[in-house]
Amino acid sequence: MQDKMEKITFKNSRDLKLVGNFYSAGDEAMVIMCHGFASDQYANDRFGKLAQALNERGISALSFDFSGCGESDDDTLTADKLSDDLISAVDYVKTLGYKKIALFSHSLGAYISLRTYSEIIRTMVLLGPLTGPLDFRADEFYTAEQRREIEAKGYFTIKNENRIRKEVMVDSQLATDIAEIDQKALFAEINCPILMIHGDQGEMEATLYPCSKDAIKLVSGDSTLVILEGSSHSFVEAYDKVIQLSIEWFSKHFD
């Protein structure tokens, strides 16, 4: 597997460097992977495991760190910036000649995938997706230190000593972006089948699932919502099943 993985860089429209891992298995079909909120492409080895399974089916894959995350250039997080990053990733794989492109996205990355959909996207698999409005603007969402940061700088910092990037700067605009999601408008222009996968454990999945129940009614008839029993928002408890479902879905919709 390692000999098929190549670390690459490309730039977004803001001339910031984005760092990715390119898993080559041919020049026709490509799955671009988008990580979740304040995370990176290495979290739980989610993307590496799926990339290996995709490669075994002759499907290439690209994971990358959004700007301000992982190894990519510094920036604060907003929906517009993250969307620009994903558009740049799609443009990058198009320059490599890929015409069959799909997305695999987790959590906030799923919202960014929906937000940046274009006709070149054949299908999406959305894991624990954010598909509708959630109000994270209330004071109780932030620590006292984060509230002081927002007042002084317009962003707050998330610290995580266990990741490549120890601090992620989250623009206060992102909470507004999420709270103001117009679900019907978000799905109105999407014209591809979507597989949504949720767990049934933990507060985050309990919060996100009702939005997805509404969202699945707004997409093509071939779209599907699956619940994995015993799985939390990280999906580490059922990731083999996630891979199985995803491989079957991508194989079907790349044919």
Side-chain angles (χ1 to χ4, degrees):
M1 179 59 190
Q2 291 301 317
D3 61 344
K4 295 183 180 181
M5 193 270 278
E6 175 189 2
K7 181 166 283 191
I8 55 93
T9 63
F10 57 97
K11 289 192 174 183
N12 60 25
S13 72
R14 297 161 354 255
D15 203 39
L16 296 178
K17 181 181 71 176
L18 305 179
V19 178
N21 288 329
F22 178 62
Y23 303 83
S24 177
D27 57 5
E28 292 190 5
M30 163 66 69
V31 174
I32 300 174
M33 305 176 179
C34 304
H35 64 75
F37 173 66
S39 186
D40 60 53
Q41 62 182 316
Y42 297 103
N44 297 311
D45 195 25
R46 188 179 289 117
F47 297 156
K49 291 175 182 176
L50 178 58
Q52 181 173 2
L54 288 167
N55 281 182
E56 290 169 357
R57 294 293 187 97
I59 301 171
S60 295
L62 172 69
S63 62
F64 72 99
D65 293 324
F66 284 111
S67 55
C69 299
E71 298 174 291
S72 292
D73 279 352
D74 295 343
D75 206 351
T76 58
L77 309 188
T78 70
D80 281 346
K81 291 176 182 178
L82 300 176
S83 296
D84 176 55
D85 294 344
L86 179 52
I87 290 169
S88 300
V90 172
D91 288 345
Y92 172 74
V93 300
K94 285 165 63 177
T95 67
L96 300 179
Y98 290 95
K99 294 181 173 60
K100 297 180 180 180
I101 301 173
L103 303 177
F104 176 87
S105 308
H106 180 236
S107 197
L108 177 63
Y111 168 56
I112 301 305
S113 295
L114 294 166
R115 201 174 188 265
T116 57
Y117 168 80
S118 66
E119 289 293 334
I120 198 170
I121 304 302
R122 290 283 188 96
T123 189
M124 303 183 201
V125 174
L126 307 181
L127 188 61
L130 170 65
T131 59
L134 295 175
D135 194 350
F136 289 133
R137 294 175 294 188
D139 282 349
E140 58 264 27
F141 177 69
Y142 305 105
T143 66
E145 181 181 356
Q146 288 172 339
R147 288 197 296 272
R148 287 192 294 270
E149 263 195 301
I150 291 171
E151 291 172 4
K153 304 174 184 177
Y155 66 83
F156 68 93
T157 303
I158 293 177
K159 298 180 180 181
N160 191 332
E161 294 301 320
N162 297 320
R163 295 198 185 280
I164 293 172
R165 181 180 290 265
K166 306 307 179 188
E167 295 185 351
V168 175
M169 300 177 293
V170 183
D171 196 299
S172 59
Q173 178 63 40
L174 184 59
T176 301
D177 296 336
I178 293 171
E180 295 181 353
I181 294 172
D182 182 334
Q183 188 180 69
K184 288 185 178 179
L186 180 66
F187 282 88
E189 302 302 321
I190 293 176
N191 189 32
C192 74
I194 298 174
L195 171 61
M196 298 183 193
I197 304 174
H198 275 285
D200 65 353
Q201 300 296 309
E203 183 178 353
M204 184 57 71
E205 286 301 287
T207 300
L208 295 171
Y209 174 65
C211 288
S212 293
K213 277 185 68 179
D214 293 334
I216 201 69
K217 302 170 187 175
L218 303 175
V219 288
S220 80
D222 190 29
S223 296
T224 303
L225 174 61
V226 174
I227 306 299
L228 296 184
E229 294 184 2
S231 186
S232 66
H233 192 58
S234 70
F235 292 90
V236 294
E237 307 89 346
Y239 203 66
D240 287 346
K241 184 63 175 179
V242 169
I243 290 176
Q244 177 191 341
L245 291 169
S246 300
I247 293 297
E248 291 173 355
W249 188 265
F250 287 130
S251 297
K252 173 183 177 182
H253 292 287
F254 275 142
D255 288 341

